[in-house]
Amino acid sequence: MTLQEPADYRAALRRLDALVAAGFEGNPELEAEFRELIVAIDTYEDKLGLLPIPNLPTTLADMIELKRQQMRLKQKDLAQLLEVPAGRLSQILSGKRRVTLDLAKKLYERLGISPEFILKTA
């Protein structure tokens, strides 16, 4: 199976969803179709040069680091932005120190990290 155009790609994705929803496991013909669709979709996406979806951070330290990189800040500049000593920020990023309520507010206001994410991962 070869996907040539976007319509073929969309149809393959719909069929893949239908197979998953119907439960293809245990049926040899449907399992073979599922594998064939996966290969065709991967090949088409590789041909387009689509980038894989990056994994989102799961810890607050990783999220802070991601925001730092997106803003193209050095760690000391981020510490200044958040109004914390550079050493304290380093300890937070390494997991040796917890985030205070004041810093949590600054993470939300200045870096745009959602309060829900902060509460769940702090």
Side-chain angles (χ1 to χ4, degrees), residues 56-119:
L56 294 176
T58 56
T59 67
L60 186 54
D62 289 344
M63 180 62 83
I64 295 169
E65 182 62 25
L66 174 66
K67 294 292 185 174
R68 182 189 68 76
Q69 291 173 0
Q70 288 174 341
M71 296 172 81
R72 294 183 173 93
L73 295 174
K74 294 179 181 175
Q75 191 168 320
K76 70 175 186 165
D77 297 328
L78 179 61
Q80 287 177 340
L81 176 69
L82 296 173
E83 298 176 9
V84 296
R88 183 174 304 151
L89 179 60
S90 179
Q91 289 175 334
I92 290 168
L93 293 175
S94 67
K96 294 178 181 174
R97 181 174 275 221
R98 299 191 73 142
V99 173
T100 63
L101 180 59
D102 184 51
L103 181 56
K105 286 175 61 176
K106 291 174 185 172
L107 292 173
Y108 166 67
E109 293 169 350
R110 298 176 187 179
L111 298 185
I113 300 174
S114 79
E116 182 178 331
F117 185 85
I118 295 170
L119 287 174

Side-chain angles (χ1 to χ4, degrees), residues 32-65:
E33 183 182 0
F34 179 81
R35 284 191 297 274
E36 185 179 356
L37 281 168
I38 292 292
V39 169
I41 290 169
D42 282 345
T43 302
Y44 184 79
E45 289 175 348
D46 287 343
K47 183 174 75 172
L48 290 179
L50 297 178
L51 297 174
I53 298 172
N55 293 332
L56 294 176
T58 56
T59 67
L60 186 54
D62 289 344
M63 180 62 83
I64 295 169
E65 182 62 25

